[in-house]
Amino acid sequence: CPLSFNLKKYVFNHLLILQVNGSQNYRTYLSKRPLHLCNSSLRLFFNTTVLADVMFKIQGATVPAHKAVLVARCEVMAAMFNGNYIESNSFLVPVYGISKDTFLSFLEYLYTDSCCPASILQAMSLLICAEMYQVSRLQHICELYIITQLQSMPSRELTSTSLSVVTLLQKAKFHNSDCLSNWLLHFIASNYLIFSQKPEFEDLSVEERNFIEMHRWPSSMYLRQLTEYRNYIHSRKCHCLIM
């Protein structure tokens, strides 16, 4: 069984650590190991009951985990399992306000230091979970994913998509994602003619709309001057002098 073989390797490696000379401590030993080996080793324990010492109950299902990994990777989890909280002495820990898929993606990041959201909405859900557990690096990864995906959308897709950028902005603000919320404001302003025609544009606050009107492109002055120029050309029936 590959899992049993890797578990034996895991135990063997840790026995070697105990035999390392006194001049070499545990951190020094780990620092010399390739990072990808550490990540691949921890991945073997993700979402398995092997050596699991805690179960999360979410949406009627249970998800196994290992306190040592959670405590080492997440300060909120460390406080939860080491402090004077009921979770510190509980094997079954309920989780509320997050879907099972989102929580699994969150745990996968803790175990592997990587995440691959399948969509903008999934990335936003994962960002909210990361904010709840105060994992700032995961928040930044989700922010970058959302920004990259929106930037790659052509104007035609932005016009026809059912995705509400205004809703993304509201969630980003509510969950203290300042970088993403500021970028989304500029994104809406830079694509003013598209977003101003959408119903959710009315859901923006007065402050947000004032900012967008101030930084919009094309600006109202540009559109006014363009209209005046076209009217002038049409009224004079101008022709190119060279022709």
Side-chain angles (χ1 to χ4, degrees):
C1 176
L3 183 58
S4 299
F5 174 74
N6 281 286
L7 280 176
K8 290 178 181 178
K9 286 178 60 180
Y10 178 83
V11 173
F12 177 72
N13 286 338
H14 281 264
L15 287 175
L16 282 179
I17 293 172
L18 297 177
Q19 298 173 6
V20 173
N21 294 332
S23 59
Q24 295 178 310
N25 57 28
Y26 177 72
R27 291 185 181 274
T28 304
Y29 175 79
L30 285 182
S31 66
K32 293 182 179 179
R33 300 175 65 193
L35 181 60
H36 69 89
L37 291 179
C38 297
N39 289 342
S40 62
S41 296
L42 284 179
R43 186 184 292 274
L44 294 171
F45 295 95
F46 168 63
N47 199 24
T48 69
T49 56
V50 177
L51 301 179
D53 53 2
V54 63
M55 286 281 187
F56 291 100
K57 185 175 183 181
I58 180 168
Q59 291 186 326
T62 55
V63 177
H66 307 79
K67 289 183 180 180
V69 177
L70 305 180
V71 168
R73 297 278 287 146
C74 175
E75 291 184 3
V76 171
M77 293 281 192
M80 186 169 69
F81 290 120
N82 288 328
N84 296 320
Y85 299 98
I86 190 172
E87 291 85 356
S88 61
N89 296 314
S90 300
F91 178 73
L92 189 63
V93 178
V95 177
Y96 303 104
I98 309 172
S99 70
K100 178 187 175 184
D101 289 340
T102 299
F103 191 70
L104 279 172
S105 296
F106 173 71
L107 288 182
E108 184 177 14
Y109 170 78
L110 296 185
Y111 278 79
T112 67
D113 200 42
S114 64
C115 74
C116 300
S119 67
I120 291 176
L121 291 179
Q122 184 180 0
M124 177 56 74
S125 298
L126 189 55
L127 183 150
I128 293 171
C129 181
E131 191 268 340
M132 181 184 300
Y133 288 100
Q134 296 296 295
V135 182
S136 58
R137 182 171 180 273
L138 179 56
Q139 283 182 267
H140 297 326
I141 291 174
C142 293
E143 287 175 340
L144 180 60
Y145 177 88
I146 293 171
I147 290 172
T148 303
Q149 291 298 307
L150 288 175
Q151 279 182 326
S152 66
M153 281 189 181
S155 298
R156 182 180 299 178
E157 188 176 353
L158 281 176
T159 303
S160 61
T161 184
S162 59
L163 178 70
S164 174
V165 176
V166 173
T167 301
L168 292 178
L169 170 62
Q170 293 170 340
K171 288 183 177 181
K173 279 196 166 185
F174 186 79
H175 293 282
N176 304 308
S177 182
D178 295 334
C179 176
L180 180 59
S181 61
N182 290 334
W183 185 89
L184 287 171
L185 271 177
H186 281 281
F187 184 68
I188 294 172
S190 300
N191 297 275
Y192 182 84
L193 294 182
I194 294 176
F195 291 110
S196 61
Q197 303 301 316
K198 292 179 175 285
E200 60 264 24
F201 190 78
E202 301 298 324
D203 296 333
L204 291 167
S205 67
V206 174
E207 181 183 0
E208 291 166 346
R209 294 188 68 170
N210 288 340
F211 177 91
I212 290 171
E213 290 292 341
M214 183 180 300
H215 297 86
R216 57 174 280 187
W217 181 258
S219 65
S220 55
M221 180 179 295
Y222 170 83
L223 292 177
R224 184 169 61 252
Q225 291 176 344
L226 180 62
T227 302
E228 291 174 356
Y229 173 75
R230 286 174 174 172
N231 290 337
Y232 171 77
I233 295 296
H234 180 73
S235 63
R236 297 292 297 272
K237 296 183 179 179
C238 295
H239 299 284
C240 180
L241 296 178
I242 299 178
M243 299 297 289

